[in-house]
Amino acid sequence: MCKLASLLILVCVASPAQWLHVPAKSTPHTKDGKPDLAAPAPRRPDGKPDLTGIWGTESPKYLANLAADFKPGDFPIQPWAEALTKERMTGIHAGEESNANCLPQGVPRIDATPNPFKIVQEPDLVVILYEAFGQFRQIYMDGRSLPKDPNPTWLGYSVGHWDGDTLVVETTGFNGKTWLDQAGHPTTDALRVTERYHRRDFGHLHIQVTIDDPKAYTKAWTVTEPMQLLPDTDLIEFVCNENEKDLKHLGKK
């Protein structure tokens, strides 16, 4: 059960009945018995990299500010979007964030939350199960095209293909209601997100994210988020309390 506390901190209590310490048979181990995260990345029978596993961000850096790597003046943001971001950074709009209202965080922000996600990989479909709010994404690998006039959604519509050992995912069809990060960088319904998933070894996954939103940014821009495998564990139930009483105090002095 999770409760929304002040300052947008989610306080979670795990049930003791969860499967949190069940070693996976496929996990390689070092001589001292610990999971060998530096072992070679596994592959599926078809030769493609196997991205299966439970992953978590290595740092809250990009959750706080997805544009953290840009030098002052180099970030390609439109004036209105920059002004809105600065206003949101004061905290006065904290109660308007989607996740503060038990609504999806959006893509790619959901990848950078403190809660892990599980990748389930099949030849024609990759599913990502997010512990945060119990959400999921379906990435279709069957050759279909992105929808031309989709019903706008929080997490968009995703299709994928392999580029060598990298899974490339294209996502469109967003509703433009999410923030890219806690700093408040905005999105619009023109957002297109390209994610490149590359498992460099058994325990490390890089997600290169390209944001292309011509209504909010002057050109497309890219960041790379490092993820680490969380072996011998599983996702736990995450319930967002819609009756939370702290929400009304967010953004108030």
Side-chain angles (χ1 to χ4, degrees):
M1 179 70 176
C2 297
K3 181 179 180 182
L4 184 65
S6 59
L7 299 179
L8 295 181
I9 298 175
L10 286 165
V11 180
C12 307
V13 178
S15 166
Q18 302 289 348
W19 293 306
L20 297 180
H21 303 288
V22 180
K25 296 180 180 180
S26 59
T27 301
H29 292 82
T30 58
K31 293 181 179 180
D32 58 4
K34 296 180 180 179
D36 186 0
L37 300 184
R43 291 186 177 272
R44 295 179 57 83
D46 60 5
K48 299 297 184 184
D50 191 350
L51 307 182
T52 302
I54 295 179
W55 302 91
T57 182
E58 292 185 0
S59 166
K61 173 181 177 180
Y62 297 108
L63 174 63
N65 183 1
L66 190 62
D69 293 337
F70 285 86
K71 297 179 181 179
D74 289 347
F75 187 49
I77 189 170
Q78 294 192 23
W80 75 265
E82 182 176 23
L84 178 59
T85 302
K86 290 180 178 178
E87 187 174 297
R88 287 174 171 176
M89 289 177 71
T90 67
I92 63 174
H93 296 290
E96 300 172 10
E97 283 195 70
S98 59
N99 58 306
N101 294 279
C102 294
L103 294 170
Q105 297 94 327
V107 178
R109 180 173 176 172
I110 194 170
D111 294 329
T113 67
N115 305 90
F117 58 88
K118 175 188 284 188
I119 295 179
V120 181
Q121 179 180 337
E122 293 296 336
D124 289 337
L125 181 68
V126 174
V127 176
I128 304 182
L129 306 175
Y130 295 98
E131 186 174 275
F133 299 2
Q135 299 168 95
F136 67 92
R137 291 172 65 195
Q138 298 183 91
I139 301 168
Y140 292 96
M141 306 283 292
D142 55 6
R144 72 180 65 184
S145 301
L146 287 166
K148 299 296 184 181
D149 186 23
N151 181 43
T153 65
W154 294 94
L155 299 178
Y157 301 81
S158 300
V159 298
H161 67 274
W162 288 100
D163 180 9
D165 286 346
T166 299
L167 173 64
V168 181
V169 179
E170 300 282 354
T171 305
T172 59
F174 296 102
N175 61 19
K177 298 179 180 180
T178 60
W179 300 11
L180 288 178
D181 48 32
Q182 291 175 335
H185 288 105
T187 66
T188 76
D189 57 4
L191 174 64
R192 184 185 185 100
V193 177
T194 302
E195 300 159 287
R196 298 178 62 89
Y197 293 76
H198 181 76
R199 189 172 188 172
R200 64 180 177 86
D201 57 23
F202 187 82
H204 300 91
L205 177 75
H206 284 171
I207 307 178
Q208 183 188 83
V209 180
T210 298
I211 303 296
D212 187 3
D213 191 341
K215 291 184 180 180
Y217 303 93
T218 59
K219 64 179 181 179
W221 50 282
T222 300
V223 299
T224 299
E225 299 180 295
M227 304 289 164
Q228 184 165 315
L229 184 74
L230 306 179
D232 305 340
T233 189
D234 209 335
L235 304 183
I236 62 175
E237 185 178 68
F238 185 127
V239 178
C240 185
N241 186 354
E242 295 186 59
N243 296 315
E244 174 54 45
K245 304 302 183 183
D246 289 333
L247 178 61
K248 63 184 179 182
H249 301 295
L250 292 178
K252 295 183 179 180
K253 300 293 185 182

